[in-house]
Every structure is written in structure tokens, then in C-alpha cells.
Amino acid sequence: MHLAMMKPGQQGRIVRIGTAVGPMKRRLMDMGVLAGELVRVEKMAPLGDPMEVTIKGYNLSLRKKEAEGIEVEVAP
């Protein structure tokens, strides 16, 4: 499952950053989007773009296209 498919309130663990390459992948990694990190979806814009997530205790807004490149494992 990728991050863009998660609903507000759901939590998961980042498995890998899939489709992002080059500067985009580097930017995500600099913001703390790393494999193994817990991520929680806080809220979404009405059309699902952008979405707000919490990683490492801070909030981060991601575009839907960016979130689609992040594979997660949903936590129960």
C-alpha cells in the first residue's frame, strides 16, 4: 500500500521510497521520510492533495504524487 491510500487517523511504517528518484528522493529523505519510520496521516485536503502527515514528531505536507511513491505497511 502507498501512503496516498491511507485515511486520516491511520498509522503505518514506511517500507521504502519507491518511485521517487534523484532530488525528490533526497528531499524526502532530508525531511525524515526514511524506511522504518512511523508515519500517521493527520488530515487531507478535500480532493486528497495535499495531505498532512506526522513523522518523527513533526507535521509534514506532501503532495499526492509524492505520497504515491512512498510504500507503507499499515499498523493495526
Side-chain angles (χ1 to χ4, degrees), residues 1 4-5 15 19-20 22 24 26 30 32-34 40 44-45 47 49 55 57-58 62 64 68:
M1 160 184 270
M5 296 171 69
V15 176
T19 58
M24 175 60 70
R26 185 74 224 169
D30 288 346
V33 181
L34 300 169
R40 177 181 167 89
M44 294 184 132
L47 297 177
D49 190 21
I55 299 176
Y58 66 90
L62 295 172
K64 188 174 183 178
E68 287 173 345

Side-chain angles (χ1 to χ4, degrees), residues 28-53:
L28 290 171
M29 292 173 71
D30 288 346
M31 292 189 293
V33 181
L34 300 169
E37 290 294 332
L38 285 175
V39 60
R40 177 181 167 89
V41 177
E42 298 297 334
K43 53 188 169 183
M44 294 184 132
L47 297 177
D49 190 21
M51 65 188 308
E52 184 176 323
V53 299

